[in-house]
Amino acid sequence: MQKKNIDWANLSFGYQPTDFRFEARWKDGKWDEGKLTDNPNIELSEAACVFHYAQCCFEGLKAYETEKGEIVTFRPEENGKRMFNTAKRLEMPSFPVEKFVKAVEDVVRANAAWVPPHGTGATLYIRPVMIGSGPQIGVAPAHEFIFRIFVMPVGSYFKGAVKPIKLKVAEYDRAAPHGTGNIKAGLNYAMSLYPTMEAHREGYAENVYLDPATRTFVEETGGTNIMFVDKEGTIVIPSSTSILPSITRRSLVEVARDILGYKVEERPVRFDEIKDMQEMAVIGTAAVLAPVGMVHSKDGDIYLPTGMDKIGPVSAKLRETLTGIQMGDIEDVKGWVHKIDLNK
């Protein structure tokens, strides 16, 4: 297999059409078999439910090339489970997990030439998406749906991802109490676009959102979960019913507890606790783990003791271990790595 002629080391985190994508359609109460297609475009009715009532959900995962030249993905069944539950909450037809994993395999295999070589720091980002495609003018779920998976080679989500970033506390809420903050719905991200661009215009990488009920507790950013390390070296993960259950977060917790031997607490974290933390990071599929050096709020700036020059020692160890497992450089004792058979 001949790799594409790409400057792998200087890729941005952006869309680039590749050779194939998978598409399945739901109609008359069932999914069709689905197939690979080379058409990057979707034709929709002007009355498609997704345009009017935001009936849309998506996932994000990655494929990697190991030092041995194998192509692997990381816990794709967990993304399938999360999308299954998200679809149920949005009155969309859940796509079976086993078919989800097979579709991921088929798309990655078909685009193997686009998987960045081992050691370049780049990955193949995999984007499953489901939309209400059927025409729907009354406020109700669509009667037809499209499920699609497409892929693209990407670089780091945050430029210089191991160098600390600056965040600001958003004056807006990302999700409503008892709303959809705990599922990967497109509408949650639409809510964060204006605050995100406002943060960028002010020189910050992202926003920190507080709990929508009391604005007292730390929740997450517009696109990632959050992690802290306290003065005792305990890893502290904010918990809430409106935080998205990140697969990267769950994996980092298991790496910390079971592989590296750290103490981990998953609990509500008050915003006023940040000033006493030793390390802070944003975590997610796209970012993996990016350290935070400063958080701006209306009451002033909070600088983490690790500073703005380098990643903290605990965060560095966590990131190094998780990416090592994903890339095949560290033994996968958890059985998380999913090998793609290129001979099928």
Side-chain angles (χ1 to χ4, degrees):
M1 176 194 63
Q2 184 68 36
K3 293 285 187 182
K4 298 292 182 179
N5 184 20
I6 293 174
D7 183 4
W8 304 104
N10 291 303
L11 283 170
S12 64
F13 195 93
Y15 174 70
Q16 178 174 349
T18 51
D19 295 332
F20 295 98
R21 59 279 304 144
F22 174 87
E23 183 176 288
R25 294 182 177 245
W26 191 88
K27 188 177 181 180
D28 299 328
K30 62 181 180 181
W31 289 104
D32 65 18
E33 287 301 309
K35 62 181 181 180
L36 291 174
T37 174
D38 60 3
N39 186 358
N41 300 313
I42 300 174
E43 183 175 327
L44 294 173
S45 164
E46 61 190 353
C49 191
V50 65
F51 295 144
H52 305 274
Y53 306 120
Q55 207 172 16
C56 167
C57 63
F58 69 98
E59 274 297 325
L61 60 157
K62 291 178 178 179
Y64 316 82
E65 183 177 89
T66 69
E67 190 173 9
K68 296 178 181 178
E70 297 174 334
I71 294 177
V72 302
T73 59
F74 186 72
R75 309 187 77 178
E77 70 285 350
E78 295 300 325
N79 293 91
K81 291 175 186 176
R82 187 169 65 179
M83 193 169 198
F84 189 96
N85 293 330
T86 294
K88 182 178 180 181
R89 173 65 175 82
L90 295 176
E91 281 296 329
M92 304 174 79
S94 294
F95 198 76
V97 174
E98 63 276 10
K99 291 187 69 175
F100 178 99
V101 173
K102 183 180 183 304
V104 167
E105 293 175 343
D106 290 347
V107 176
V108 173
R109 185 184 302 112
N111 292 288
W114 293 90
V115 179
H118 181 78
T120 60
T123 55
L124 188 77
Y125 186 73
I126 305 166
R127 172 53 59 86
V129 62
M130 188 191 301
I131 60 172
S133 56
Q136 186 64 44
I137 295 302
V139 181
H143 298 288
E144 297 177 16
F145 296 84
I146 295 174
F147 171 78
R148 177 174 278 228
I149 300 178
F150 59 97
V151 301
M152 72 219 76
V154 298
S156 296
Y157 187 71
F158 295 111
K159 291 182 179 179
V162 292
K163 187 174 181 181
I165 59 175
K166 295 180 179 181
L167 306 180
K168 66 167 289 191
V169 176
E171 296 301 313
Y172 304 88
D173 293 327
R174 172 187 163 272
H178 313 296
T180 58
N182 64 335
I183 61 172
K184 205 166 177 67
L187 58 92
N188 294 338
Y189 295 81
M191 296 282 284
S192 73
L193 291 178
Y194 177 78
T196 297
M197 296 311 297
E198 188 177 65
H200 290 174
R201 285 188 284 267
E202 294 175 10
Y204 301 97
E206 251 285 14
N207 290 290
V208 174
Y209 289 94
L210 304 180
D211 74 286
T214 70
R215 295 189 60 79
T216 302
F217 296 95
V218 177
E219 296 241 306
E220 58 183 324
T221 75
T224 63
N225 282 178
I226 293 173
M227 179 199 86
F228 298 98
V229 180
D230 69 14
K231 290 180 178 179
E232 285 71 46
T234 298
I235 294 166
V236 182
I237 308 290
S239 65
S240 161
T241 57
S242 56
I243 293 177
L244 182 73
S246 163
I247 294 156
T248 300
R249 181 190 73 193
R250 191 185 321 160
S251 301
L252 283 168
V253 165
E254 293 187 51
V255 164
R257 281 178 177 159
D258 304 339
I259 297 176
L260 299 178
Y262 288 109
K263 181 181 177 182
V264 180
E265 294 181 356
E266 297 184 72
R267 61 172 178 81
V269 177
R270 298 188 318 276
F271 179 75
D272 64 12
E273 291 184 71
I274 295 180
K275 67 182 185 302
D276 298 318
M277 296 294 182
Q278 294 298 298
E279 298 180 35
M280 179 178 179
V282 297
I283 51 180
T285 298
V288 185
L289 185 154
V292 176
M294 185 269 271
V295 179
H296 170 75
S297 76
K298 62 182 180 180
D299 296 321
D301 296 338
I302 303 170
Y303 284 89
L304 279 297
T306 44
M308 292 300 303
D309 295 323
K310 61 181 181 179
I311 189 171
V314 177
S315 296
K317 190 63 177 176
L318 285 171
R319 180 184 170 92
E320 174 188 315
T321 305
L322 183 62
T323 56
I325 293 170
Q326 292 171 332
M327 295 286 187
D329 299 325
I330 294 176
E331 183 183 0
D332 175 28
V333 296
K334 288 286 191 176
W336 289 338
V337 174
H338 186 92
K339 183 180 175 181
I340 305 296
D341 185 350
L342 300 180
N343 297 317
K344 283 189 176 181

